[in-house]
Amino acid sequence: MPLDESAQGVYVIAPTPFHPDGRIDEASTDRMTEFFLEAGCDGMTILGVMGEAPKLDGAEALEISRRIIRRAGKAGIIVGVSAPGFAAMRALAHGVMEAGAAGVMIAPPSTLRTDDQIVAYYTQAVQAIGADIPFVLQDYPLLFQVQMTPGVIRRIVQALPSCVMLKHEDWPGLEKISTLRGYQAEDSMRPISILCGNGGLFLDFECERGADGAMTGYAFPDMLVELVRLARAGERDRAHDLFDAHLPLIRYEQQFGVGLAVRKYVLMRRGIIASDAQRAPGGTLSQRAVSEVEYLLARLARHDARARLPAAG
């Protein structure tokens, strides 16, 4: 089904599994897809920042998208199509939508500085891919260095009906969520789905501020599913207790430069992917870092059985 403003829950950001020699690991891709959906995720977002998308050529990006879409069945698959030029964006967007994707995600280029430039860019992007393709507006100023105020987000939402979701990754960003929901309440902005990133680092309160769930890639997406469910049910203390148990590992995974290495290592330890390899250029964990991650997993296992893993080889 095409993505729309009613989307909620957890759309996990999927890494791209690689063999140690840099080839795409198709068996791990299948296993990862099945695990995420069995864990209760409502969908997946692929070829995002943590999907190493710039390291794939156009044919690889389309092929892995098709593979995951086929495997996922009815689950919603969102594909990151951000590109330096609109021709590449259009080609990938059309290819994945023809394969059955639910929608696409577009990040702003780092050259945008003013509100008018931001609105103009997204207007041109929609003209390039087509107004019939639902898209996710990615707001990640820490990485892209583009500051989107609630006002400019409202302008984009009002001007472009195909914008159906905000991937909210501002930091701090709780007040932004409240402001956007306030716009909706006063009927000055149409409803959109808001899913939050940042590794889930603020998800406990983001749900309380009006977020519809998470779009992030923490190595325990099954915990994110449970957290969102508890928040929706009004079980505030249980939700925060679960979040608090995972917070040290969430924080460790949020380190710039090594975050993907940590995430892939834990996914490998959980048996979801066969290798924690990244395609070059990519980072690796030092032995000291590995021992710290293992320590955090052991501590987490006292509170959450999902972290009780066999001893590392």
Side-chain angles (χ1 to χ4, degrees):
M1 294 291 292
L3 191 69
D4 63 27
E5 68 279 357
S6 67
Q8 58 183 356
V10 175
Y11 281 67
V12 61
I13 293 286
T16 301
F18 293 107
H19 292 289
D21 63 4
R23 291 176 298 118
I24 293 174
D25 184 343
E26 295 178 345
S28 286
T29 299
D30 292 346
R31 187 165 57 250
M32 175 188 71
T33 302
E34 291 170 359
F35 171 81
F36 287 159
L37 300 180
E38 289 170 0
C41 295
D42 299 273
M44 296 168 55
T45 300
I46 61 178
L47 305 187
V49 172
M50 291 301 217
E52 299 180 73
K55 302 175 187 177
L56 305 179
D57 64 32
E60 287 178 318
L62 185 54
E63 180 52 38
I64 195 170
S65 297
R66 287 171 173 163
R67 187 179 192 91
I68 291 173
I69 291 165
R70 286 195 303 267
R71 200 81 179 185
K74 295 181 179 180
I77 304 299
I78 298 169
V79 183
V81 297
S82 303
F86 288 135
M89 180 186 295
R90 179 174 54 249
L92 183 55
H94 287 191
V96 299
M97 293 304 293
E98 289 169 5
V104 301
M105 183 168 68
I106 303 174
S110 60
T111 53
L112 303 180
R113 289 294 175 266
T114 69
D115 288 358
D116 288 346
Q117 288 174 342
I118 296 168
V119 174
Y121 176 81
Y122 279 98
T123 300
Q124 292 169 2
V126 168
Q127 291 170 348
I129 68 173
D132 58 331
I133 296 180
F135 80 92
V136 179
L137 173 64
Q138 188 172 12
D139 179 21
Y140 192 3
L142 274 73
L143 181 63
F144 300 127
Q145 302 300 307
V146 176
Q147 299 294 331
M148 293 192 203
T149 64
V152 79
I153 292 171
R154 176 169 58 180
R155 285 178 60 185
I156 293 169
V157 171
Q158 292 300 93
L160 303 173
S162 56
C163 179
V164 297
M165 179 186 289
L166 172 68
K167 187 185 180 189
H168 170 74
E169 298 188 88
D170 205 347
W171 181 355
L174 295 175
E175 298 303 330
K176 180 179 282 189
I177 297 172
S178 293
T179 300
L180 292 171
R181 290 309 190 204
Y183 290 161
Q184 290 180 205
E186 68 186 26
D187 204 27
S188 68
M189 187 181 83
R190 62 180 173 81
I192 58 168
S193 172
I194 299 177
L195 298 185
C196 298
N198 282 318
L201 195 58
F202 305 100
L203 187 60
D204 51 345
F205 285 110
E206 286 168 337
C207 288
E208 295 180 9
R209 291 294 190 110
D212 295 297
M215 185 188 286
T216 193
Y218 175 51
F220 286 85
D222 34 354
M223 183 282 289
L224 300 177
V225 170
E226 184 179 356
L227 175 63
V228 171
R229 178 183 61 79
L230 290 170
R232 275 197 204 140
E235 298 192 53
R236 188 183 196 193
D237 287 343
R238 288 186 62 194
H240 280 269
D241 287 345
L242 177 64
F243 179 82
D244 291 349
H246 281 261
L247 184 55
L249 184 57
I250 291 173
R251 181 193 64 178
Y252 198 93
E253 195 191 84
Q254 274 299 102
Q255 297 177 86
F256 277 106
V258 298
L260 180 59
V262 175
R263 185 174 300 169
K264 279 193 161 184
Y265 176 80
V266 177
L267 290 172
M268 179 185 69
R269 288 282 284 112
R270 297 190 73 189
I272 299 165
I273 59 178
S275 169
D276 60 351
Q278 297 177 47
R279 180 173 278 186
T284 59
L285 295 180
S286 67
Q287 285 303 306
R288 183 66 177 269
V290 168
S291 69
E292 289 167 348
V293 173
E294 290 291 341
Y295 175 71
L296 290 172
L297 286 169
R299 287 180 60 82
L300 177 58
R302 301 176 190 174
H303 306 282
D304 192 328
R306 286 172 286 214
R308 293 174 189 162
L309 307 175

